[in-house]
Amino acid sequence: MLLILNKNADNKEISIIKGKINKLGLEVNEIKELNYHILGLIGDVSKLDPGIFEAYKAIDKVIFVQEPYKKANRLLHPNNTEIKVNNEIIGGNKINIIAGPCSVENQKQILSIADDVKKYGAKFLRGGAFKPRTSPYSFQGLKLEGLELLKLAKQYTGLPIVTELTSLDFLDEYVDSVDIIQVGARNMQNYEMLKQLGKINKPILLKRGPSSTVEELLMSAEYILLGGNENVILCERGIRTFESYTRNTLDLSAIPVIKKLSHLPVIVDPSHATGRWWMVEPMALASIAAGADGLIIEVHNDPENALCDGNQSIKPDKLKQLMEKLKLIAKAVGRDI
Ligand code: PEP
Ligand code: MN
């Protein structure tokens, strides 16, 4: 149970209130101090004597958070979390597009794609340097060289960079040079990694595991939030179902569910969700219509020869067309882009 008290409650008052609540067989796990006025009681208050609250004016609000995620819970944080990254805000009214190749392949490739995605309205550049591949025989990424090339692309275009961290060994390098650290679907439940990411201040893009429930995703976010890093962006990227035509099944319903349960921003990855470039546009449009705060899209200038995920990568001119349609959808749902 979380107890929310007015900021000026003194220690004596707090311990008396805690004692009374404990006596009722309820446990206070956390105390938060806010400048709230009385907002009422949320949750199962049947066990509580309302006199407790009347007797101690220091209590403004008592919330029973029944869900296992506390800090990620919208009950405790009614307003949307807005995450400032360089000059952009993720989770506000504006929809943000993150675009770029699955993997950084060489200097020419990343600079050319970075230039194009910027021209067509993306506000962030994505690109994998360390790649978590299903097959050990597949291209594993340029690793630190890829990170250097991303930094170069940032220098040229000014676009903040988003890239996946696959090992804590490189955390320091990422903290120094990456604007948003991506935790891939495969690492969503790498709790040691999440704990370390809780100790830093960088925004974290946390992708949903292909077989994880929304609650499990929120519990993973909780690890980061609990460590003190409140800058967590959630990402729906498709889940594994019996359908095999698409690479994954995009769980569009996760968007309103997450929005209801949590205050954290949510973006969608229509590329990994579908595995097919021609499905990226309809799923991207549907995601924004369903309330997503942004998209992360794979864009490649030569998808046929891409070293990774060419099938699901759109060409830059497709991004341009998509952006025009996204503007219409954004307007229809009262958002800017
Ligand atoms: C990626 O974004 O390149 C990636 C590997 O995504 P996911 O972790 O969602 O599979
Ligand atoms: Mn990819």
Side-chain angles (χ1 to χ4, degrees):
M1 173 181 164
L2 176 121
L3 186 62
I4 296 190
L5 299 164
N6 193 297
K7 268 210 167 75
N8 39 28
D10 67 28
N11 284 342
K12 195 169 154 229
E13 276 176 311
I14 293 173
S15 67
I16 295 172
I17 294 162
K18 272 176 74 179
K20 291 209 169 202
I21 290 174
N22 290 158
K23 261 201 190 142
L24 292 163
L26 297 165
E27 203 186 332
V28 177
N29 322 98
E30 193 187 344
I31 297 184
K32 197 168 175 170
E33 295 179 13
L34 292 174
N35 254 341
Y36 279 159
H37 295 296
I38 294 172
L39 291 173
L41 307 175
I42 301 170
D44 175 16
V45 292
S46 56
K47 278 174 121 178
L48 288 179
D49 167 8
I52 288 180
F53 309 109
E54 279 154 27
Y56 296 97
K57 60 181 189 317
I59 296 187
D60 274 344
K61 186 181 182 185
V62 176
I63 302 178
F64 295 85
V65 182
Q66 275 139 354
E67 297 80 12
Y69 46 93
K70 313 290 179 191
K71 290 184 179 290
N73 201 310
R74 196 181 271 283
L75 280 178
L76 303 184
H77 192 301
N79 297 330
N80 289 335
T81 284
E82 297 190 359
I83 299 175
K84 194 165 185 303
V85 195
N86 299 25
N87 295 322
E88 303 300 326
I89 292 178
I90 299 182
N93 192 54
K94 197 166 159 263
I95 282 157
N96 279 286
I97 308 299
I98 303 169
C102 178
S103 307
V104 180
E105 298 173 7
N106 55 60
Q107 180 169 326
K108 190 159 171 259
Q109 174 241 21
I110 192 67
L111 293 186
S112 151
I113 298 173
D115 219 34
D116 281 343
V117 301
K118 180 178 181 183
K119 192 162 69 194
Y120 299 139
K123 293 290 189 279
F124 297 85
L125 175 68
R126 66 148 288 151
F130 291 83
K131 291 304 303 176
R133 303 302 301 276
T134 304
S135 165
Y137 303 112
S138 303
F139 174 59
Q140 302 286 310
L142 295 182
K143 307 194 171 74
L144 287 176
E145 187 195 337
L147 197 56
E148 289 306 312
L149 293 177
L150 282 170
K151 282 157 72 175
L152 192 66
K154 178 178 172 177
Q155 245 176 44
Y156 276 129
T157 59
L159 289 179
I161 51 183
V162 183
T163 194
E164 179 171 352
L165 179 74
T166 55
S167 160
L168 284 171
D169 293 349
F170 301 104
L171 184 58
D172 290 345
E173 281 89 341
Y174 274 58
V175 169
D176 286 345
S177 44
V178 173
D179 298 286
I180 301 180
I181 300 179
Q182 180 174 322
V183 175
R186 292 158 189 80
N187 273 313
M188 188 203 89
Q189 288 180 312
N190 182 341
Y191 299 118
E192 289 312 311
M193 179 181 274
L194 301 177
K195 281 184 211 165
Q196 294 307 318
L197 295 175
K199 294 183 189 164
I200 60 172
N201 227 344
K202 285 269 159 179
I204 308 297
L205 173 57
L206 179 64
K207 298 188 92 177
R208 180 180 181 183
S211 302
S212 297
T213 62
V214 167
E215 185 166 295
E216 286 164 342
L217 172 63
L218 294 176
M219 291 311 290
S220 289
E222 191 78 12
Y223 268 93
I224 304 171
L225 300 172
L226 190 60
N229 185 352
E230 298 188 339
N231 306 308
V232 180
I233 303 154
L234 304 173
C235 179
E236 162 59 38
R237 45 76 77 205
I239 50 174
R240 181 160 288 192
T241 67
F242 56 82
E243 179 54 66
S244 58
Y245 185 83
T246 44
R247 182 174 179 181
N248 291 289
T249 297
L250 178 59
D251 182 10
L252 274 178
S253 64
I255 305 163
V257 172
I258 293 169
K259 284 279 166 199
K260 183 175 169 60
L261 300 180
S262 180
H263 50 89
L264 296 172
V266 54
I267 69 166
V268 170
D269 176 345
S271 312
H272 291 88
T274 60
R276 295 174 188 253
W277 68 267
W278 55 270
M279 293 187 75
V280 168
E281 179 176 297
M283 293 299 97
L285 297 174
S287 300
I288 298 307
D293 296 303
L295 297 163
I296 178 164
I297 300 176
E298 288 188 340
V299 177
H300 202 287
N301 50 0
D302 183 13
E304 292 80 9
N305 294 303
L307 296 182
C308 184
D309 287 350
N311 286 346
Q312 64 192 41
S313 300
I314 57 171
K315 290 186 180 163
D317 63 330
K318 257 285 179 199
L319 177 68
K320 185 179 179 204
Q321 286 172 24
L322 171 60
M323 290 300 291
E324 291 311 310
K325 295 185 186 178
L326 283 171
K327 281 180 195 157
L328 301 174
I329 301 285
K331 191 160 175 239
V333 293
R335 311 277 302 253
D336 294 328
I337 189 161

